[in-house]
Amino acid sequence: MRAGLDLTIADLSLAVRGPEGLPIAEDEPAYQEFLTDPAAAAEDRVTVTVRLDPPPDATDLPVRFDSGTAWRLRGGDGERVLEWPAREGPEGWWWSAYLTGWAEAVTVHCPAEQVRTQADGHSLRNPVRYPLDQLLLMYRLAARGGLIVHAASVALDGAGLAFAGPSGAGKSTLAAQIQGAPGVEPITDDRTILRLRGDGVRLWGTPWPGEGQIARNRDAPLDALCVLRQGPTHRLRRLVRPEALARLLPVISIPWFEPAVTDAALAVLAEVLARVPVLELEFTPDRGVVDVLRERPWSPS
Amino acid sequence: MSARREPAPGSGRGKSPYRRPRLRIIDLQAEEVLGIGCKGLAGDAPFARPCNSNNCRQLGT
């Protein structure tokens, strides 16, 4: 078991460091591929310091966004605090994560219940997992030319294809139905990260899977971005930019309550749309959709 | 040689017919993309099951 834990998603690393002498454990299967060596290269590395103590009083900071049940954000541009309600414990006991800037440094305060005691000793359950890791990455990716999209993705003959849509659109269904087809490598069935690279776009898998539990730490050059629609046949239709925007905006993780971060994320999205074709993929539940995709009708050659 | 003059602004010539702008509403659903939906992780940490407070156990939301 490691003294710390390094989580690398889309070439961005979160170095989780707890109290001295207390190993940090992450047992969730979806995360295993994303645990990396501390010495491994990553484009960006954020140190997340974990402390086992009550969160400092942040009530003087205004609430900027309240999700209602899951978490809320306090503060402004210089200091942000993400707060979570505890399932158990005294009223008002919150977990919290203090962020400086766009999550350039993070301190997590969590209760002692996060320490697990087993026959081989004590360990700290990794608190930097969904949704905290996704929220931190929303900031880091905006600063580094990236976006999180509610999309399944695969590599088809080495070319990356992302299939975006809200819950119920068929992301996991599609990923399951084409899994195992020749040349198809599933990457994720629920959340894909897109990053501007060179003059193109690259996609990455994430540890946040859907029903199919597909969560691979793989990447591929993005060849096309498809918006899903279930229908009676398999059909691809190129979307003009206003329609592409209208279909994609609801399924992209943009912190709308953060104007500067939103501006950066929208600039990334505009660049993605300029570089990669966006299509509507109508599909029906059979593997024939792979043949339609393999023809790559969006490609000029 | 005579230079062709562009119609003066507002002269009515060469203008496209006015089209009333259409207001487009894009429904942004926070639970889809802002780390609010439950991912059904194993374990008993509050971070692992953010939806326990509203008994959400659905995967892939």
Side-chain angles (χ1 to χ4, degrees):
Chain A
M1 207 175 304
R2 313 170 193 216
L5 178 148
D6 290 73
L7 187 61
T8 302
I9 304 168
D11 209 15
L12 305 179
S13 183
L14 300 171
V16 187
R17 301 291 179 263
E20 187 69 31
L22 187 61
I24 299 177
E26 177 53 76
D27 300 330
E28 177 62 29
Y31 277 84
Q32 299 311 306
E33 284 197 24
F34 296 85
L35 301 177
T36 50
D37 191 297
E43 184 197 314
D44 185 72
R45 178 168 276 110
V46 171
T47 298
V48 182
T49 305
V50 181
R51 297 176 54 159
L52 295 172
D53 58 14
D57 183 10
T59 51
D60 59 323
L61 297 173
V63 174
R64 179 173 276 206
F65 180 76
D66 191 340
S67 74
T69 54
W71 57 271
R72 70 186 178 197
L73 174 74
R74 289 181 180 274
D77 294 336
E79 183 184 27
R80 295 176 174 83
V81 186
L82 290 162
E83 297 178 320
W84 275 260
R87 281 191 304 139
E88 297 163 0
E91 186 79 17
W93 175 252
W94 293 76
W95 289 50
S96 64
Y98 278 69
L99 286 54
T100 58
W102 289 17
E104 284 130 19
V106 182
T107 303
V108 173
H109 299 266
C110 59
E113 287 82 351
Q114 194 69 357
V115 175
R116 186 174 50 180
T117 303
Q118 291 181 309
D120 57 350
H122 302 293
S123 64
L124 176 66
R125 294 182 61 84
N126 173 33
V128 187
R129 48 169 36 192
Y130 183 87
L132 176 58
D133 52 356
Q134 179 177 318
L135 293 167
L136 297 179
L137 283 183
M138 283 165 57
Y139 288 90
R140 297 310 306 147
L141 284 165
R144 294 281 184 170
L147 288 170
I148 302 170
V149 186
H150 206 178
S153 55
V154 302
L156 175 59
D157 300 331
L161 300 173
F163 307 103
S167 298
K171 295 183 295 296
S172 290
T173 302
L174 180 68
Q177 83 185 48
I178 66 177
Q179 192 169 14
V184 172
E185 184 189 2
I187 295 177
T188 171
D189 66 341
D190 202 60
R191 314 260 162 148
T192 297
I193 289 176
L194 305 181
R195 299 196 63 191
L196 306 175
R197 281 291 165 95
D199 57 0
V201 181
R202 213 161 173 88
L203 69 77
W204 270 265
T206 67
W208 316 305
E211 290 174 13
Q213 293 295 301
I214 300 171
R216 307 299 310 277
N217 190 4
R218 297 292 177 90
D219 61 295
L222 181 64
D223 202 30
L225 179 52
C226 301
V227 181
L228 292 180
R229 185 162 79 89
Q230 298 187 45
T233 185
H234 302 304
R235 193 161 56 99
L236 279 163
R237 178 174 68 91
R238 186 85 177 241
L239 298 180
V240 294
R241 202 164 296 180
E243 191 176 2
L245 259 182
R247 301 283 295 276
L248 288 172
L249 279 174
V251 293
I252 292 179
S253 296
I254 294 176
W256 301 100
F257 41 86
E258 298 270 20
V261 185
T262 295
D263 284 350
L266 290 176
V268 176
L269 176 59
E271 196 57 38
V272 169
L273 296 183
R275 296 181 183 193
V276 177
V278 180
L279 305 102
E280 180 186 74
L281 172 63
E282 180 182 311
F283 76 105
T284 191
D286 69 61
R287 197 174 277 187
V289 69
V290 176
D291 298 327
V292 175
L293 294 168
R294 206 186 298 275
E295 287 174 9
R296 304 178 68 243
W298 58 84
S299 174
S301 55
Chain B
M1 195 170 80
S2 62
R4 186 179 170 193
R5 295 184 62 180
E6 292 295 321
S11 66
R13 286 187 294 151
K15 289 173 71 176
S16 301
Y18 175 74
R19 286 187 185 161
R20 189 181 178 84
R22 191 161 55 97
L23 180 63
R24 181 165 225 162
I25 297 173
I26 298 175
D27 187 15
L28 302 173
Q29 299 172 39
E31 66 274 13
E32 290 283 345
V33 288
L34 291 185
I36 294 169
C38 181
K39 299 303 290 179
L41 298 177
D44 55 3
F47 277 136
R49 286 184 173 165
C51 285
N52 272 359
S53 55
N54 59 5
N55 296 318
C56 173
R57 299 278 179 180
Q58 190 179 356
L59 285 169
T61 55

